[in-house]
Amino acid sequence: ARSFALKLQSSLGRSVSNVVTQPVDRAGSWGVLAAYDYQQAGVKYRVSQLFLSDSGVLRTVTGSSAAQGAPTCANDMRDFIRYLAN
């Protein structure tokens, strides 16, 4: 997971900003949590992505919100992705 996290951070860093990755444990398999900023049409978005290994298949859970003025439910979404998504 750590190796994948470092490769992902390097790869994402070419097209988005403020990239942070970290390995996570999910029910005995490995995963990587990524967070980064993405800008489109002058609006900056904060993206959270969870990459999960599922019997050799890589699954992804993604959520995003506007970086400025995001509603409080955006924090709930990020917490869900970080701690609960499987």
Side-chain angles (χ1 to χ4, degrees), residues 41-74:
V43 179
K44 186 185 283 189
Y45 298 92
R46 188 69 181 154
V47 180
S48 296
Q49 269 187 309
L50 179 64
F51 297 85
L52 296 169
S53 172
D54 183 11
S55 301
V57 175
L58 190 62
R59 296 186 304 122
T60 307
V61 178
T62 304
S64 64
S65 65
Q68 298 296 321
T72 56
C73 64

Side-chain angles (χ1 to χ4, degrees), residues 13-85:
R14 295 182 200 136
S15 57
V16 296
S17 60
N18 300 320
V19 179
V20 178
T21 60
Q22 70 181 66
V24 294
D25 251 345
R26 289 290 193 279
S29 59
W30 64 266
V32 172
L33 180 66
Y36 54 89
D37 292 335
Y38 172 77
Q39 189 157 343
Q40 181 177 0
V43 179
K44 186 185 283 189
Y45 298 92
R46 188 69 181 154
V47 180
S48 296
Q49 269 187 309
L50 179 64
F51 297 85
L52 296 169
S53 172
D54 183 11
S55 301
V57 175
L58 190 62
R59 296 186 304 122
T60 307
V61 178
T62 304
S64 64
S65 65
Q68 298 296 321
T72 56
C73 64
N75 288 331
D76 294 339
M77 173 200 60
R78 288 185 193 106
D79 285 345
F80 172 79
I81 292 171
R82 182 175 186 158
Y83 299 111
L84 300 173

